[in-house]
Amino acid sequence: MLDSSCSKDQIRVIVADDSEIVRSIISAMIENGLSAECSSARGLDEALKIASDTPVDLVLLDYQMPGMDGLNGLKRIMATDARHVALLSGAMPSEVVEEAIALGASGFLPKTLPPRDMLGAVNAMCLGERFPAQHFLDRMM
């Protein structure tokens, strides 16, 4: 199990994706691998409600789910009290990743990341780090 020192209490994550199977798999992986508590959201509005009602360490947002409207959804969820927000997608142009990070996102997680890397990235982002790290972004360019 990885270090789960995101906060004094249990790590709280929202996994927001319009695919039930993606939400279920990523949530189970995070709950089991980091002893975290995950909430699921089918779209941006549901994620916004959860983030407004509950203190959250990290929100993982599917870039192409209902309500996102490009990076406008990212801006809206970042206006909540969520400590960190990252985008989640099967693929995303590097310029969108750069823009999201410039807006204050904690990073971008490809849905194809191996489980151990996904857990490491989630933990790192909860601790305030960016993912991918700049050296990884440089290699993507």
Side-chain angles (χ1 to χ4, degrees):
M1 189 176 328
L2 296 174
D3 174 23
S4 59
S5 59
C6 267
S7 62
K8 295 175 197 152
D9 301 314
Q10 186 176 41
I11 298 168
R12 299 181 59 103
V13 177
I14 297 172
V15 179
D17 195 293
D18 55 337
S19 168
E20 183 176 352
I21 194 161
V22 170
R23 286 191 316 271
S24 296
I25 290 170
I26 292 175
S27 293
M29 186 177 14
I30 292 170
E31 287 174 347
N32 294 323
L34 297 177
S35 297
E37 179 183 328
C38 287
S39 299
S40 292
R42 290 176 291 238
L44 181 65
D45 290 340
E46 194 172 338
L48 285 165
K49 179 168 178 11
I50 296 168
S52 297
D53 293 345
T54 310
V56 177
D57 293 297
L58 178 65
V59 179
L60 297 177
L61 289 177
D62 179 13
Y63 179 67
Q64 296 184 349
M65 71 177 172
M68 283 297 288
D69 187 28
L71 293 176
N72 289 325
L74 173 68
K75 293 174 190 175
R76 289 179 62 200
I77 200 96
M78 288 176 62
T80 69
D81 289 333
R83 290 182 56 220
H84 305 286
V85 180
L87 293 175
L88 181 67
S89 185
M92 187 178 305
S94 59
E95 54 273 359
V96 175
V97 174
E98 289 175 356
E99 187 177 350
I101 290 173
L103 289 170
S106 294
F108 162 65
L109 294 176
K111 291 180 183 179
T112 56
L113 266 180
R116 183 162 182 77
D117 293 344
M118 176 86 64
L119 291 174
V122 166
N123 195 61
M125 288 186 294
C126 284
L127 293 169
E129 295 177 28
R130 300 262 188 246
F131 186 87
Q134 187 60 47
H135 69 277
F136 182 78
L137 280 175
D138 292 341
R139 282 188 293 162
M140 284 175 50
M141 307 291 208

